[in-house]
Amino acid sequence: WLSVYVIIGTWSWLCSAVFHTRDFPITEKFDYFSAGVNVLYIFFLGTTRMLRLSTWQQTRVLALCCAIPYVLHVAYLSLVRFDYGYNMMANAIVGLLSNFIWFVVAYQGHRNGQPFWWKPAVLMLLMDMAFSLEAFDFSPFFDTLDAHSLWHAATIPIIAQWYDYLVKDA
């Protein structure tokens, strides 16, 4: 599952970079949809870890439970109406659910004596702080650094630490 995390993360960053250099409707959708699948995959990983799913069949059921709403979400945004507020709300809700799940994982790790039990909780809090840049937009400093660019910059070390945690936890 870690390989998939790396692929989704890399794809998401690539889509974002392309969109921010070439702002077209298709690049915008790739950016938004890849970010959404990235948020959803962290939820998926946390749920897999929290529930201690150990068989391929159990994990596949969870994957379908995540994939079906995602496909419906993308279909709605692509075929019915591209609604920025709805998309942001959907990602925020999945992100908040992920927070809860990863806090449970941290608690489970603490109870089991895991030496790095605290890491998912701290990383979720840091990601929430970074997300506040996205949620509470502000005018650019020096006509260059806006909230969105700072959000992207803030996520770089957090994502690197997430990967480190996921590798150690595997």
Side-chain angles (χ1 to χ4, degrees), residues 61-127:
V61 168
L62 177 62
L64 280 173
C65 288
C66 291
I68 291 169
Y70 175 76
V71 169
L72 293 172
H73 174 74
V74 169
Y76 173 78
L77 291 171
S78 298
L79 304 173
V80 178
R81 181 171 169 240
F82 195 76
D83 183 337
Y84 295 96
Y86 160 73
N87 186 59
M88 178 70 87
M89 183 64 70
N91 281 296
I93 288 169
V94 174
L96 287 172
L97 289 171
S98 287
N99 280 354
F100 174 76
I101 287 167
W102 282 105
F103 284 127
V104 171
V105 169
Y107 177 74
Q108 289 171 336
H110 177 66
R111 284 189 47 207
N112 295 331
Q114 186 182 50
F116 46 91
W117 64 268
W118 52 270
K119 202 165 189 177
V122 169
L123 292 172
M124 274 288 133
L125 290 173
L126 290 172
M127 190 60 82

Side-chain angles (χ1 to χ4, degrees), residues 13-147:
W13 278 89
L14 177 66
C15 288
S16 181
V18 170
F19 169 61
H20 289 294
T21 56
R22 296 289 182 239
D23 186 351
F24 298 113
I26 189 71
T27 60
E28 181 179 43
K29 286 181 179 173
F30 275 127
D31 180 35
Y32 279 68
F33 299 158
S34 64
V37 79
N38 206 355
V39 171
L40 187 60
Y41 198 72
I42 288 294
F43 170 83
F44 168 79
L45 286 176
T47 305
T48 301
R49 175 70 173 79
M50 180 184 74
L51 298 176
R52 295 183 173 95
L53 301 182
S54 58
T55 68
W56 175 244
Q57 185 175 0
Q58 293 170 329
T59 308
R60 190 172 27 186
V61 168
L62 177 62
L64 280 173
C65 288
C66 291
I68 291 169
Y70 175 76
V71 169
L72 293 172
H73 174 74
V74 169
Y76 173 78
L77 291 171
S78 298
L79 304 173
V80 178
R81 181 171 169 240
F82 195 76
D83 183 337
Y84 295 96
Y86 160 73
N87 186 59
M88 178 70 87
M89 183 64 70
N91 281 296
I93 288 169
V94 174
L96 287 172
L97 289 171
S98 287
N99 280 354
F100 174 76
I101 287 167
W102 282 105
F103 284 127
V104 171
V105 169
Y107 177 74
Q108 289 171 336
H110 177 66
R111 284 189 47 207
N112 295 331
Q114 186 182 50
F116 46 91
W117 64 268
W118 52 270
K119 202 165 189 177
V122 169
L123 292 172
M124 274 288 133
L125 290 173
L126 290 172
M127 190 60 82
D128 289 346
M129 290 168 55
F131 178 73
S132 69
L133 292 167
E134 188 75 357
F136 306 111
D137 199 10
F138 54 81
S139 299
F141 297 118
F142 311 113
D143 293 326
T144 305
L145 297 174
D146 65 353

